């Protein structure tokens, strides 16, 4: 949720942000009108309540017929106060509901445009030239079968499309990736967390996933739960309705969870293999920090993501995501995209977003400084999303016979240097 004071004082900044995202500019004026109505309703209610307090004192001092008349008038005034309080509550609710529809204010440095208008910030490593090795690369599905690592056919039989089994060395590779990710995060000062995958509506709404992202969220309506698409949700809501000690900031958590996504709007896209699936495991970094430190913290999260990919010995690039492709909470987002040899392109494997105070306002997470409370900033970043990282490792480190070399960083967790054919 954006700061209403910014909206009142600088509405054009908010309009420009909405315009840059390709979202409703008219919504800005609707929120301003709702805020005006809210403030007017509060003034009316408080004036009537003050009148009621003064009136109550006069009733206490009255006697006889005067008191009887005043009591009757008091009932009428009480009804007016009650009605004004109801109008105040309705106006505040209407204003909040409209304000929740506004996305966070764009960072002026974020590229403007749609999905394809990102800016490449950095290329790390050089894609492998398989022709020099004398063979054409196999895709991860073929490699997964040869290694006994991935089974999508039986998963389709059991659960339908976009599901998979990791078997044998595939399962071992997931455990190695998780253990390496958690150990790396702990060394960097993160507190490891295993988070719930079912959350209540306020947690999902507070993190901004019931707006433009709602179509990709699994909702258990009967039980009033949502399945999380990322542990960002339970990590952000962990300190909901709390006041944090500003001297302990930043507070960093590394959350492991299974994630669930509908993949709505992707019919016919990435149907082969495990690049785009309904269920996957992930280790997510999350930081609560002082707002003035958020930009530097964002760069730190990005560096930890880069360090992870470098340890996997995979070529990748870093992109500055364009405004129209940002989630509603993020003012700026950087993606790390790994090179996928059989597709001849880079594909997103991690991302990190600066959400400033947007989520904290919605979740009522504050810090106390010099006797005053104000919202903290929140940031998130994927350390490893398992399926796509497995795809990148298998395809980039394969040998001509279909065996796959294990990155040196993972060998201590696996006790092997190569995945052999089964």
């Amino acid at each position: 949720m954006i700061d209403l004071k910014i909206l009142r004082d600088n509405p054009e900044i908010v309009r420009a942000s909405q315009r840059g995202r390709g979202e409703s500019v008219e919504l800005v004026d609707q929120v301003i009108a709702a805020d005006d109505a809210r403030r007017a309703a509060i003034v009316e209610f408080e004036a009537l309540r003050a009148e009621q307090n003064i009136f109550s004192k006069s009733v206490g001092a009255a006697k006889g017929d005067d008191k009887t008349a005043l009591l009757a008038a008091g009932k009428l005034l009480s009804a007016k106060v009650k009605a004004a309080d109801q109008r105040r509550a309705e106006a505040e609710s209407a204003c909040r509901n409209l304000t929740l529809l506004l996305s966070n204010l764009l960072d002026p440095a974020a590229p403007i445009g749609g999905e394809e208008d990102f800016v490449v910030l950095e290329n790390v490593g050089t894609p492998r030239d398989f022709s020099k090795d004398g063979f054409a690369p196999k895709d991860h599905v073929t490699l997964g079968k040869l290694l006994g690592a991935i089974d999508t056919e039986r998963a389709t039989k059991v659960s339908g499309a976009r599901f998979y089994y990791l078997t044998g060395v595939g399962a071992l590779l997931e455990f190695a990736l998780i253990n390496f990710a958690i150990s790396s995060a702990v060394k960097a000062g993160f507190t490891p967390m295993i988070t719930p995958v079912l959350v209540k509506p306020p947690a999902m709404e507070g993190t901004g996933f019931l707006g433009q992202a709602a179509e990709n969220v699994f909702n258990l309506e009967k039980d009033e739960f949502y399945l999380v698409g990322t542990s960002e949700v339970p990590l952000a809501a962990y300190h909901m309705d709390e006041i944090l000690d500003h001297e302990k900031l930043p507070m960093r958590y590394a959350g492991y969870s299974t994630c669930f996504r509908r993949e709505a709007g992707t019919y016919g896209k990435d149907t082969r293999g495990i690049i785009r699936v309904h269920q996957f495991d992930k280790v997510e970094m999350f930081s609560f920090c002082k707002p003035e430190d958020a930009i530097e913290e964002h760069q730190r999260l990005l560096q930890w993501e880069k360090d992870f990919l470098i340890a996997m010995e995979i070529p990748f690039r870093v992109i500055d995501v364009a405004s129209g492709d940002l989630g509603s909470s993020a003012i700026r987002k950087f993606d790390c995209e790994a090179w996928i040899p059989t597709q001849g392109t880079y594909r997103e494997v991690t991302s990190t977003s600066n959400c400033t105070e947007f989520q904290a306002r919605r979740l009522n997470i504050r810090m106390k400084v010099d006797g005053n409370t104000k919202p903290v900033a929140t940031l998130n970043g994927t350390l490893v999303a398992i399926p796509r990282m497995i795809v990148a490792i298998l395809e980039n480190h394969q040998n001509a016979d279909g065996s796959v070399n294990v990155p040196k960083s993972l060998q201590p967790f696996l006790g092997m240097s190569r995945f052999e054919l089964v």
Side-chain angles (χ1 to χ4, degrees):
M1 180 181 293
I2 67 169
D3 186 347
L4 283 175
K5 187 176 186 304
I6 294 176
L7 183 66
R8 289 192 290 266
D9 296 345
N10 297 287
E12 193 49 47
I13 292 177
V14 186
R15 292 189 186 98
S17 179
Q18 289 288 105
R19 193 176 298 114
R21 289 176 177 273
E23 298 176 6
S24 171
V25 177
E26 291 75 15
L27 179 60
V28 176
D29 292 322
Q30 293 172 21
V31 176
I32 291 173
D35 181 44
D36 289 341
R38 176 189 68 87
R39 288 191 291 162
I42 291 172
V43 168
E44 179 193 20
F45 166 68
E46 290 181 345
L48 283 169
R49 187 170 59 177
E51 182 182 343
Q52 185 182 42
N53 290 337
I54 296 171
F55 188 84
S56 297
K57 294 178 181 178
S58 65
V59 171
K63 295 180 181 180
D65 292 341
D66 289 342
K67 188 167 187 176
T68 301
L70 287 172
L71 286 172
K75 288 183 180 180
L76 292 175
L77 182 56
S78 179
K80 288 182 179 180
V81 171
K82 185 177 180 180
D85 191 24
Q86 179 65 27
R87 288 193 293 273
R88 175 201 57 78
E90 291 173 353
E92 287 187 338
S93 177
C95 182
R96 175 178 170 79
N97 290 338
L98 275 175
T99 306
L100 287 173
L101 299 177
L102 286 172
S103 292
N104 205 354
L105 298 180
L106 283 175
D107 186 325
I112 301 298
E115 184 179 356
E116 301 302 322
D117 296 310
F118 59 84
V119 173
V120 178
L121 300 177
E122 183 180 7
N123 285 279
V124 180
T126 303
R128 181 177 169 188
D129 186 350
F130 282 89
S131 64
K132 291 184 178 179
D133 296 326
F135 72 97
K138 301 175 180 65
D139 72 9
H140 72 279
V141 177
T142 302
L143 292 167
K145 289 180 179 179
L146 292 172
L147 299 170
I150 303 170
D151 191 333
T152 55
E153 294 177 358
R154 288 186 174 91
T156 300
K157 176 180 65 177
V158 173
S159 300
R162 299 192 188 280
F163 287 92
Y164 62 97
Y165 285 91
L166 291 180
T167 58
V169 294
L172 293 176
L173 179 54
E174 163 154 348
F175 294 139
L177 285 165
I178 292 170
N179 282 322
F180 179 74
I182 292 296
S183 64
S184 299
V186 169
K187 288 178 184 176
F190 286 79
T191 299
M193 304 269 279
I194 296 175
T195 65
V197 297
L198 290 170
V199 299
K200 296 178 180 179
M204 191 67 78
E205 180 186 71
T207 43
F209 284 94
L210 293 186
Q212 61 185 197
E215 65 176 0
N216 274 312
V217 176
F218 283 101
N219 182 11
L220 282 64
E221 293 184 19
K222 181 178 178 181
D223 301 293
E224 295 187 350
F225 280 119
Y226 289 95
L227 281 166
V228 300
T230 167
S231 59
E232 173 191 344
V233 176
L235 289 173
Y238 184 64
H239 289 297
M240 183 167 54
D241 297 322
E242 293 182 22
I243 297 176
L244 307 181
D245 184 348
H246 78 282
E247 292 183 354
K248 293 183 178 180
L249 299 177
M251 298 170 67
R252 300 182 180 122
Y253 300 102
Y256 164 77
S257 76
T258 300
C259 307
F260 304 88
R261 297 184 184 179
R262 287 187 178 278
E263 293 297 342
T266 63
Y267 179 79
K269 188 175 181 181
D270 293 320
T271 55
R272 179 173 168 80
I274 62 172
I275 286 181
R276 196 180 296 275
V277 291
H278 289 309
Q279 175 186 329
F280 61 96
D281 296 331
K282 181 159 70 88
V283 176
E284 183 82 0
M285 299 178 289
F286 198 89
S287 177
F288 297 91
C289 74
K290 299 173 185 176
E292 61 267 27
D293 297 335
I295 291 177
E296 289 183 4
E297 185 74 350
H298 199 194
Q299 290 297 324
R300 280 189 284 268
L301 292 177
L302 176 60
Q303 187 60 53
W304 283 316
E305 292 180 345
K306 290 164 59 177
D307 290 344
F308 190 96
L309 280 163
I310 290 169
M312 295 302 106
E313 304 167 40
I314 293 170
F316 67 95
R317 70 181 183 184
V318 180
I319 68 167
D320 198 347
V321 176
S323 57
D325 201 29
L326 294 175
S328 64
S329 298
I331 69 164
R332 198 176 187 188
K333 182 171 79 164
F334 303 121
D335 284 355
C336 291
E337 299 183 329
W339 177 255
I340 308 299
T342 60
Q343 296 188 2
T345 190
Y346 292 93
R347 299 298 299 267
E348 177 198 341
V349 288
T350 70
S351 67
T352 177
S353 298
N354 180 4
C355 299
T356 58
E357 302 102 317
F358 187 81
Q359 292 176 329
R361 288 183 187 279
R362 297 161 74 107
L363 293 166
N364 192 30
I365 306 171
R366 296 157 292 160
M367 62 179 181
K368 183 171 285 188
V369 182
D370 298 328
N372 298 313
T373 59
K374 64 178 184 178
V376 299
T378 63
L379 300 97
N380 63 81
T382 304
L383 195 51
V384 59
I386 298 300
R388 291 195 179 191
M389 192 60 68
I390 287 178
V391 170
I393 288 172
L394 295 184
E395 293 207 10
N396 281 282
H397 296 307
Q398 64 180 290
N399 300 307
D401 64 351
S403 63
V404 174
N405 298 325
V406 175
K408 290 183 176 62
S409 60
L410 295 181
Q411 291 178 15
F413 297 93
L414 284 159
M416 63 183 81
S417 60
R418 181 181 295 201
F419 297 141
E420 302 289 355
L421 279 64
V422 295

